[in-house]
Amino acid sequence: MLKKEKIIITGSNGLLGQNLISLFVNETDFEVFAFSKGKNRISKTTNFTYYNIDLTDSEVLTKHLKRIKPDFIINGAAMTNVDVCENKKELCDKLNVTAVETLIDYCKNEETHLIQVSTDFIFDGEKGLYKEDDLPKPVNYYGESKLKSEELLKKSKINFTILRTILVYGKVENANKGNIVLWVKGELEKGEKINVINDQFRMPILANDLAKACLLVIQNSKSSKKQVYHVSSNELLSIYEIAIQIAEVFNLDKKLIHKISTKELNQKAQRPAKTGFVLDKAITDLGFESVSFKERLVYFKEMI
């Protein structure tokens, strides 16, 4: 009988993390370990080992890594609230940069393959539809912190893969925060009017699809090492258009959705105007499935 490969999933209580756990516990080749802070929020899924770990405590994190000796680590943990990152830069760096340094330090002496989940916010949003080798130029501190972690990986000699993604949505047990789809759906179901910006453009991804992309990286681990991949849906939409499509799929009143500009929101941190990805590399190298936001929304509706 072949020995199961050990995989650690950080940020396991989050939207991506819970989807990763659900996916990998059903893959018979893996022994799954979950790292997150606080109580385990996943009660419906079993067959994994949970550890309550503060990932910013490098000593504790390293001790657990050495004990488990993972073959793969998927780092899905991050501070992602863009305005909080702008206000609390030191705290942002602890999770988004220093924790990645600790993972790299462990992997230096091991064959462990580290998969780092990154973001479209490393780009300035001036042109949109970015390729993996386009020049990064973040316009906010969240993007800066994620770029710093990418640069650490690229300078290291470890086995790594960077998966950049955009505006993740989905639904999980005991979620600690919402996402664009659940917010629009929830407000419209209550009959509430919502203001939605029409001058920022994104390509959202269902958390299930992002989790599958992580699995594809592992299944192609010989060729995916030291590579960067872009994964998202395949159509560039304004946030307003995204909200309209959510209303259409869930049969809700589109008239409740009102266009506004980014300036009217008066947010602390600047956002890139137009991101979006060219997906060719992930499709060709990994077999990533290219789908539209609306197509996945229909699937998501059936899921929930």
Side-chain angles (χ1 to χ4, degrees), residues 95-163:
L95 187 54
N96 292 2
V97 184
T98 309
V100 178
E101 277 185 301
T102 306
L103 294 174
I104 291 170
D105 284 342
Y106 168 77
C107 292
K108 278 176 185 174
N109 302 312
E110 307 293 335
E111 290 298 309
T112 306
H113 186 160
L114 173 57
I115 299 161
Q116 170 72 7
V117 180
S118 195
T119 175
D120 57 324
F121 274 34
I122 67 157
F123 297 111
D124 61 13
E126 292 296 315
K127 76 178 190 75
L129 295 179
Y130 290 94
K131 294 180 180 178
E132 285 83 356
D133 57 359
D134 280 333
L135 187 68
K137 191 180 177 184
V139 295
N140 54 52
Y141 201 76
Y142 166 63
E144 280 185 41
S145 71
K146 296 298 280 185
L147 181 58
K148 283 180 193 174
S149 67
E150 286 196 17
E151 288 170 344
L152 287 169
L153 285 161
K154 288 175 180 178
K155 286 174 188 172
S156 77
K157 293 180 180 178
I158 71 165
N159 296 321
F160 74 87
T161 304
I162 295 166
L163 269 184

Side-chain angles (χ1 to χ4, degrees), residues 277-294:
F277 288 153
V278 174
L279 305 174
D280 294 355
K281 186 179 176 185
I283 292 166
T284 302
D285 292 4
L286 303 177
F288 179 71
E289 187 182 0
S290 173
V291 291
S292 70
F293 174 61
K294 198 161 195 177

